[in-house]
Amino acid sequence: MTTQNENLRQLENTVEIVGTLKSKELEVKTSRAGNKYMSGKLVVSSKFDNKVQDQVIKVFIMASSKLFKGIETVKNEYRTIDADGVNAADRIRVTGEMKLNEYYNSQGKLVQFNEIKGVFFNRLDETNDQPDKAIASIETVVEGFVDKLDKDNLPTGEFKVNGFTVGFGNDVIELQNAVIGADLAASFMSLYQPGQTGRLTFKLNNYVLVEEQEVVEQAPSHGFGSTETIEANVIKDYVNNMEIIGGDMPLFAPKEYSVEEIAKAKQVRALKLQEMQQPAPPTPPANTGFGQGVSTQPNTPPINVDNQMPTNFGKDSMPDF
């Protein structure tokens, strides 16, 4: 049984993206403590299922990491569609892991979405015939299934799958938009019961679905009779989900997540959400000898390894590690 002070057991979590580098926004920064790191994002354009799928990959790597040289090469040498044109852009392969980004917005609403954190970056030469892909293989604790409804609130045959995985440092990662199609739903739900753990394979969908409808409008009379104009009304629907396309048999003891471990993970998750709603503790005033001093040092964000992003590290913040 997991006790209060024990770490949660980490589950396997791997993402693989193969495609053409569309854009890159990478910047070398320095923390208040003088430590250098690279942060930013890449957008990789993959073509599969007759669709263009743009995957955003977040980057955070400390200069002290063995991975830093590789991301420096990406920043300085890799060519992108946006900057160099589609014919000159590099095809790349990125491996990483699925994370959970969440925050309370200015209206007090909790915003949550999964994002890919890149770890390894490889440029593919012209002879590499590996097809484009956006795949995740994640050991998942399945919590349940919910009918996915259409615009008229009728079941589509697809299901939303509720579940989570666990990353380094007690990081409970909820899968926010995991779905399974009607063709696999019955088989999946007969094999996996709520509370079971197994390695699932996800296709990462992120594309624009465009539908054109003809709209007939009555036009004003011109001279005699009447005329009509026909215009194309373009409707855009954005598809962004993690579609389950397969999986292994459920894990059994000692590899499966036990009832006690699941309960502990839920406690960790509830505590994190509670802490997110609380304001940061005030920074102790500096000792200025007299009057009231103010410290300019922010609270130190937790960070454990060279390429683990601090949990409260934002775009405009200057970390103190």
Side-chain angles (χ1 to χ4, degrees), residues 83-127:
D84 305 285
V86 65
N87 293 327
D90 288 313
R91 288 191 77 236
I92 67 172
R93 177 176 179 264
V94 180
T95 54
E97 61 182 334
M98 190 63 65
K99 304 289 286 184
L100 176 64
N101 192 346
E102 55 186 350
Y103 58 90
Y104 281 93
N105 63 18
S106 57
Q107 287 75 42
K109 180 181 178 181
L110 179 61
V111 179
Q112 298 174 300
F113 55 92
N114 293 114
E115 64 182 14
I116 303 164
K117 189 192 75 164
V119 179
F120 299 101
F121 308 87
N122 299 99
R123 184 162 36 186
L124 305 178
D125 60 36
E126 295 179 354
T127 63

Short mmCIF file of all heavy atoms in Angstrom, two decimals, residues 83-127:
data_model
loop_
_atom_site.label_atom_id
_atom_site.label_comp_id
_atom_site.label_asym_id
_atom_site.label_seq_id
_atom_site.Cartn_x
_atom_site.Cartn_y
_atom_site.Cartn_z
N ALA A 83 9.73 29.43 -42.68
CA ALA A 83 10.90 30.26 -42.97
C ALA A 83 11.60 29.90 -44.27
O ALA A 83 12.18 30.77 -44.93
CB ALA A 83 11.90 30.17 -41.82
N ASP A 84 11.55 28.61 -44.65
CA ASP A 84 12.37 28.16 -45.77
C ASP A 84 11.56 27.55 -46.93
O ASP A 84 12.14 27.19 -47.95
CB ASP A 84 13.39 27.12 -45.29
CG ASP A 84 14.25 27.64 -44.15
OD1 ASP A 84 15.13 28.46 -44.42
OD2 ASP A 84 14.01 27.25 -42.99
N GLY A 85 10.26 27.41 -46.74
CA GLY A 85 9.44 26.83 -47.80
C GLY A 85 9.25 25.34 -47.62
O GLY A 85 10.09 24.65 -47.03
N VAL A 86 8.16 24.82 -48.16
CA VAL A 86 7.81 23.42 -47.94
C VAL A 86 8.82 22.46 -48.56
O VAL A 86 9.07 21.37 -48.02
CB VAL A 86 6.39 23.14 -48.47
CG1 VAL A 86 6.32 23.32 -49.99
CG2 VAL A 86 5.91 21.76 -48.05
N ASN A 87 9.43 22.83 -49.67
CA ASN A 87 10.38 21.93 -50.33
C ASN A 87 11.71 21.84 -49.61
O ASN A 87 12.41 20.83 -49.71
CB ASN A 87 10.60 22.37 -51.78
CG ASN A 87 9.35 22.20 -52.63
OD1 ASN A 87 8.57 21.27 -52.42
ND2 ASN A 87 9.16 23.09 -53.60
N ALA A 88 12.08 22.90 -48.88
CA ALA A 88 13.37 22.92 -48.20
C ALA A 88 13.28 22.50 -46.74
O ALA A 88 14.30 22.20 -46.11
CB ALA A 88 13.97 24.33 -48.27
N ALA A 89 12.07 22.46 -46.18
CA ALA A 89 11.90 22.17 -44.76
C ALA A 89 12.33 20.74 -44.42
O ALA A 89 12.23 19.83 -45.24
CB ALA A 89 10.45 22.38 -44.36
N ASP A 90 12.81 20.56 -43.20
CA ASP A 90 13.30 19.26 -42.75
C ASP A 90 12.16 18.38 -42.26
O ASP A 90 11.25 18.84 -41.56
CB ASP A 90 14.30 19.45 -41.60
CG ASP A 90 15.62 20.02 -42.06
OD1 ASP A 90 16.16 19.53 -43.07
OD2 ASP A 90 16.12 20.96 -41.40
N ARG A 91 12.24 17.11 -42.64
CA ARG A 91 11.38 16.11 -42.00
C ARG A 91 12.08 15.66 -40.73
O ARG A 91 13.30 15.44 -40.72
CB ARG A 91 11.13 14.90 -42.90
CG ARG A 91 10.23 15.16 -44.05
CD ARG A 91 9.83 13.86 -44.74
NE ARG A 91 8.81 13.14 -43.98
CZ ARG A 91 8.91 11.88 -43.54
NH1 ARG A 91 10.02 11.20 -43.74
NH2 ARG A 91 7.93 11.31 -42.88
N ILE A 92 11.33 15.55 -39.64
CA ILE A 92 11.94 15.21 -38.35
C ILE A 92 11.11 14.15 -37.63
O ILE A 92 9.94 13.92 -37.96
CB ILE A 92 12.11 16.45 -37.46
CG1 ILE A 92 10.74 17.01 -37.02
CG2 ILE A 92 12.92 17.53 -38.17
CD1 ILE A 92 10.85 18.11 -35.98
N ARG A 93 11.75 13.57 -36.66
CA ARG A 93 11.09 12.62 -35.76
C ARG A 93 11.31 13.12 -34.34
O ARG A 93 12.44 13.38 -33.93
CB ARG A 93 11.68 11.22 -35.91
CG ARG A 93 11.10 10.18 -34.95
CD ARG A 93 11.69 8.80 -35.27
NE ARG A 93 11.18 7.78 -34.37
CZ ARG A 93 11.80 7.36 -33.28
NH1 ARG A 93 13.00 7.91 -32.95
NH2 ARG A 93 11.30 6.42 -32.52
N VAL A 94 10.22 13.27 -33.61
CA VAL A 94 10.28 13.74 -32.23
C VAL A 94 9.69 12.66 -31.33
O VAL A 94 8.61 12.13 -31.61
CB VAL A 94 9.49 15.05 -32.04
CG1 VAL A 94 9.57 15.51 -30.59
CG2 VAL A 94 9.99 16.13 -32.98
N THR A 95 10.38 12.34 -30.26
CA THR A 95 9.82 11.46 -29.25
C THR A 95 9.76 12.23 -27.93
O THR A 95 10.63 13.05 -27.64
CB THR A 95 10.65 10.17 -29.07
OG1 THR A 95 12.01 10.52 -28.82
CG2 THR A 95 10.58 9.30 -30.30
N GLY A 96 8.74 11.97 -27.19
CA GLY A 96 8.55 12.68 -25.93
C GLY A 96 7.49 12.01 -25.09
O GLY A 96 7.36 10.79 -25.09
N GLU A 97 6.68 12.82 -24.39
CA GLU A 97 5.65 12.28 -23.53
C GLU A 97 4.46 13.22 -23.48
O GLU A 97 4.56 14.40 -23.82
CB GLU A 97 6.20 12.05 -22.11
CG GLU A 97 6.70 13.31 -21.43
CD GLU A 97 7.29 13.03 -20.06
OE1 GLU A 97 6.89 12.03 -19.44
OE2 GLU A 97 8.13 13.82 -19.60
N MET A 98 3.32 12.67 -23.06
CA MET A 98 2.10 13.46 -22.94
C MET A 98 2.04 14.06 -21.54
O MET A 98 2.27 13.38 -20.54
CB MET A 98 0.88 12.58 -23.18
CG MET A 98 -0.42 13.37 -23.30
SD MET A 98 -0.43 14.49 -24.71
CE MET A 98 -0.37 13.32 -26.09
N LYS A 99 1.74 15.37 -21.49
CA LYS A 99 1.63 16.08 -20.22
C LYS A 99 0.25 16.71 -20.10
O LYS A 99 -0.56 16.65 -21.03
CB LYS A 99 2.71 17.17 -20.13
CG LYS A 99 4.13 16.66 -20.31
CD LYS A 99 4.60 15.84 -19.13
CE LYS A 99 4.91 16.72 -17.94
NZ LYS A 99 5.45 15.95 -16.80
N LEU A 100 -0.02 17.31 -18.95
CA LEU A 100 -1.27 18.02 -18.72
C LEU A 100 -0.96 19.46 -18.36
O LEU A 100 -0.23 19.73 -17.41
CB LEU A 100 -2.07 17.36 -17.60
CG LEU A 100 -3.37 18.07 -17.19
CD1 LEU A 100 -4.37 18.07 -18.34
CD2 LEU A 100 -3.98 17.40 -15.95
N ASN A 101 -1.49 20.39 -19.16
CA ASN A 101 -1.36 21.81 -18.87
C ASN A 101 -2.70 22.29 -18.30
O ASN A 101 -3.75 22.02 -18.88
CB ASN A 101 -1.01 22.59 -20.14
CG ASN A 101 -0.59 24.02 -19.85
OD1 ASN A 101 -0.79 24.53 -18.75
ND2 ASN A 101 0.01 24.66 -20.83
N GLU A 102 -2.67 22.99 -17.19
CA GLU A 102 -3.91 23.45 -16.58
C GLU A 102 -3.65 24.71 -15.78
O GLU A 102 -2.58 24.90 -15.21
CB GLU A 102 -4.52 22.37 -15.68
CG GLU A 102 -3.59 21.83 -14.62
CD GLU A 102 -4.19 20.66 -13.86
OE1 GLU A 102 -5.39 20.39 -14.03
OE2 GLU A 102 -3.46 20.01 -13.10
N TYR A 103 -4.66 25.59 -15.76
CA TYR A 103 -4.54 26.84 -15.02
C TYR A 103 -5.94 27.44 -14.88
O TYR A 103 -6.88 27.07 -15.61
CB TYR A 103 -3.63 27.83 -15.76
CG TYR A 103 -4.07 28.16 -17.16
CD1 TYR A 103 -4.94 29.23 -17.42
CD2 TYR A 103 -3.63 27.39 -18.24
CE1 TYR A 103 -5.35 29.52 -18.70
CE2 TYR A 103 -4.05 27.67 -19.53
CZ TYR A 103 -4.91 28.74 -19.75
OH TYR A 103 -5.32 29.02 -21.03
N TYR A 104 -6.08 28.35 -13.93
CA TYR A 104 -7.32 29.10 -13.78
C TYR A 104 -7.18 30.41 -14.55
O TYR A 104 -6.23 31.16 -14.36
CB TYR A 104 -7.61 29.37 -12.31
CG TYR A 104 -8.21 28.17 -11.60
CD1 TYR A 104 -7.40 27.25 -10.92
CD2 TYR A 104 -9.58 27.95 -11.61
CE1 TYR A 104 -7.94 26.15 -10.29
CE2 TYR A 104 -10.13 26.85 -10.97
CZ TYR A 104 -9.32 25.95 -10.32
OH TYR A 104 -9.86 24.85 -9.69
N ASN A 105 -8.16 30.69 -15.43
CA ASN A 105 -8.10 31.92 -16.21
C ASN A 105 -8.60 33.10 -15.39
O ASN A 105 -8.94 32.96 -14.21
CB ASN A 105 -8.87 31.78 -17.53
CG ASN A 105 -10.36 31.53 -17.31
OD1 ASN A 105 -10.91 31.79 -16.24
ND2 ASN A 105 -11.02 31.06 -18.35
N SER A 106 -8.63 34.27 -16.02
CA SER A 106 -9.00 35.48 -15.28
C SER A 106 -10.44 35.46 -14.80
O SER A 106 -10.81 36.21 -13.90
CB SER A 106 -8.78 36.70 -16.18
OG SER A 106 -9.53 36.58 -17.38
N GLN A 107 -11.28 34.60 -15.40
CA GLN A 107 -12.66 34.47 -14.94
C GLN A 107 -12.83 33.40 -13.87
O GLN A 107 -13.94 33.10 -13.44
CB GLN A 107 -13.59 34.13 -16.13
CG GLN A 107 -13.83 35.30 -17.08
CD GLN A 107 -12.64 35.58 -17.97
OE1 GLN A 107 -12.02 34.64 -18.47
NE2 GLN A 107 -12.32 36.84 -18.17
N GLY A 108 -11.70 32.82 -13.45
CA GLY A 108 -11.76 31.79 -12.41
C GLY A 108 -12.15 30.42 -12.93
O GLY A 108 -12.45 29.52 -12.15
N LYS A 109 -12.12 30.23 -14.25
CA LYS A 109 -12.47 28.94 -14.84
C LYS A 109 -11.22 28.09 -15.02
O LYS A 109 -10.18 28.58 -15.46
CB LYS A 109 -13.15 29.14 -16.19
CG LYS A 109 -13.55 27.84 -16.88
CD LYS A 109 -14.20 28.11 -18.22
CE LYS A 109 -14.54 26.80 -18.94
NZ LYS A 109 -15.15 27.06 -20.28
N LEU A 110 -11.33 26.81 -14.67
CA LEU A 110 -10.21 25.89 -14.82
C LEU A 110 -10.08 25.48 -16.28
O LEU A 110 -11.00 24.91 -16.87
CB LEU A 110 -10.41 24.65 -13.95
CG LEU A 110 -9.30 23.58 -14.02
CD1 LEU A 110 -7.96 24.13 -13.56
CD2 LEU A 110 -9.69 22.35 -13.18
N VAL A 111 -8.94 25.78 -16.90
CA VAL A 111 -8.64 25.42 -18.28
C VAL A 111 -7.68 24.24 -18.27
O VAL A 111 -6.63 24.31 -17.61
CB VAL A 111 -8.03 26.60 -19.05
CG1 VAL A 111 -7.70 26.21 -20.48
CG2 VAL A 111 -8.98 27.79 -19.02
N GLN A 112 -8.00 23.17 -18.98
CA GLN A 112 -7.16 21.97 -18.98
C GLN A 112 -7.02 21.43 -20.39
O GLN A 112 -8.00 21.36 -21.14
CB GLN A 112 -7.80 20.89 -18.10
CG GLN A 112 -7.94 21.27 -16.63
CD GLN A 112 -8.70 20.20 -15.86
OE1 GLN A 112 -9.85 19.90 -16.17
NE2 GLN A 112 -8.05 19.62 -14.86
N PHE A 113 -5.81 21.05 -20.76
CA PHE A 113 -5.61 20.38 -22.05
C PHE A 113 -4.28 19.63 -22.00
O PHE A 113 -3.34 20.03 -21.31
CB PHE A 113 -5.62 21.38 -23.21
CG PHE A 113 -4.64 22.51 -23.07
CD1 PHE A 113 -3.36 22.42 -23.61
CD2 PHE A 113 -4.98 23.67 -22.39
CE1 PHE A 113 -2.45 23.47 -23.48
CE2 PHE A 113 -4.07 24.72 -22.26
CZ PHE A 113 -2.82 24.62 -22.82
N ASN A 114 -4.23 18.53 -22.74
CA ASN A 114 -2.99 17.77 -22.83
C ASN A 114 -2.07 18.41 -23.86
O ASN A 114 -2.52 19.03 -24.82
CB ASN A 114 -3.28 16.32 -23.23
CG ASN A 114 -4.02 15.56 -22.16
OD1 ASN A 114 -5.17 15.17 -22.35
ND2 ASN A 114 -3.38 15.34 -21.03
N GLU A 115 -0.76 18.28 -23.64
CA GLU A 115 0.22 18.78 -24.59
C GLU A 115 1.42 17.85 -24.63
O GLU A 115 1.68 17.10 -23.69
CB GLU A 115 0.65 20.20 -24.23
CG GLU A 115 1.37 20.33 -22.91
CD GLU A 115 1.75 21.78 -22.60
OE1 GLU A 115 1.22 22.70 -23.26
OE2 GLU A 115 2.56 21.99 -21.68
N ILE A 116 2.12 17.91 -25.75
CA ILE A 116 3.27 17.03 -25.96
C ILE A 116 4.53 17.75 -25.51
O ILE A 116 4.78 18.89 -25.90
CB ILE A 116 3.39 16.66 -27.44
CG1 ILE A 116 2.11 15.99 -27.94
CG2 ILE A 116 4.60 15.74 -27.67
CD1 ILE A 116 2.01 15.93 -29.45
N LYS A 117 5.32 17.07 -24.69
CA LYS A 117 6.63 17.60 -24.32
C LYS A 117 7.70 16.83 -25.08
O LYS A 117 7.83 15.61 -24.94
CB LYS A 117 6.88 17.47 -22.82
CG LYS A 117 8.14 18.20 -22.37
CD LYS A 117 8.55 17.84 -20.96
CE LYS A 117 9.17 16.47 -20.93
NZ LYS A 117 9.91 16.18 -19.69
N GLY A 118 8.45 17.53 -25.93
CA GLY A 118 9.48 16.89 -26.72
C GLY A 118 10.74 16.61 -25.91
O GLY A 118 11.14 17.41 -25.06
N VAL A 119 11.37 15.48 -26.17
CA VAL A 119 12.59 15.09 -25.47
C VAL A 119 13.74 14.85 -26.46
O VAL A 119 14.82 15.41 -26.33
CB VAL A 119 12.36 13.84 -24.60
CG1 VAL A 119 13.66 13.43 -23.89
CG2 VAL A 119 11.26 14.08 -23.58
N PHE A 120 13.50 14.01 -27.47
CA PHE A 120 14.53 13.69 -28.46
C PHE A 120 14.07 14.20 -29.83
O PHE A 120 12.90 14.05 -30.22
CB PHE A 120 14.78 12.19 -28.54
CG PHE A 120 15.28 11.59 -27.24
CD1 PHE A 120 14.42 10.91 -26.40
CD2 PHE A 120 16.61 11.71 -26.87
CE1 PHE A 120 14.87 10.36 -25.22
CE2 PHE A 120 17.08 11.17 -25.69
CZ PHE A 120 16.20 10.49 -24.85
N PHE A 121 15.03 14.78 -30.60
CA PHE A 121 14.72 15.38 -31.89
C PHE A 121 15.72 14.87 -32.91
O PHE A 121 16.93 15.00 -32.72
CB PHE A 121 14.80 16.90 -31.80
CG PHE A 121 13.98 17.49 -30.67
CD1 PHE A 121 14.52 17.61 -29.40
CD2 PHE A 121 12.67 17.89 -30.88
CE1 PHE A 121 13.77 18.13 -28.35
CE2 PHE A 121 11.91 18.41 -29.84
CZ PHE A 121 12.46 18.53 -28.58
N ASN A 122 15.22 14.27 -34.00
CA ASN A 122 16.09 13.72 -35.03
C ASN A 122 15.66 14.20 -36.40
O ASN A 122 14.46 14.16 -36.73
CB ASN A 122 16.08 12.19 -34.99
CG ASN A 122 16.55 11.63 -33.67
OD1 ASN A 122 15.75 11.25 -32.83
ND2 ASN A 122 17.86 11.58 -33.48
N ARG A 123 16.64 14.62 -37.20
CA ARG A 123 16.35 15.03 -38.58
C ARG A 123 16.43 13.80 -39.47
O ARG A 123 17.36 13.00 -39.37
CB ARG A 123 17.35 16.10 -39.01
CG ARG A 123 17.11 16.69 -40.36
CD ARG A 123 17.85 18.01 -40.55
NE ARG A 123 19.16 18.03 -39.91
CZ ARG A 123 19.91 19.13 -39.85
NH1 ARG A 123 19.45 20.26 -40.36
NH2 ARG A 123 21.09 19.09 -39.26
N LEU A 124 15.46 13.62 -40.37
CA LEU A 124 15.41 12.47 -41.25
C LEU A 124 15.97 12.85 -42.61
O LEU A 124 15.63 13.91 -43.15
CB LEU A 124 13.97 11.97 -41.41
CG LEU A 124 13.24 11.62 -40.10
CD1 LEU A 124 11.81 11.18 -40.39
CD2 LEU A 124 13.98 10.54 -39.32
N ASP A 125 16.82 12.00 -43.16
CA ASP A 125 17.38 12.32 -44.48
C ASP A 125 16.39 11.96 -45.57
O ASP A 125 15.34 11.35 -45.33
CB ASP A 125 18.73 11.63 -44.68
CG ASP A 125 18.64 10.11 -44.59
OD1 ASP A 125 17.63 9.55 -45.05
OD2 ASP A 125 19.59 9.48 -44.08
N GLU A 126 16.74 12.31 -46.81
CA GLU A 126 15.81 12.15 -47.92
C GLU A 126 15.52 10.70 -48.23
O GLU A 126 14.50 10.39 -48.87
CB GLU A 126 16.39 12.84 -49.16
CG GLU A 126 16.51 14.35 -49.01
CD GLU A 126 17.09 15.00 -50.24
OE1 GLU A 126 17.50 14.25 -51.16
OE2 GLU A 126 17.16 16.25 -50.30
N THR A 127 16.39 9.78 -47.82
CA THR A 127 16.17 8.36 -48.12
C THR A 127 15.26 7.69 -47.10
O THR A 127 14.86 6.55 -47.29
CB THR A 127 17.51 7.61 -48.15
OG1 THR A 127 18.13 7.67 -46.84
CG2 THR A 127 18.45 8.24 -49.17
#
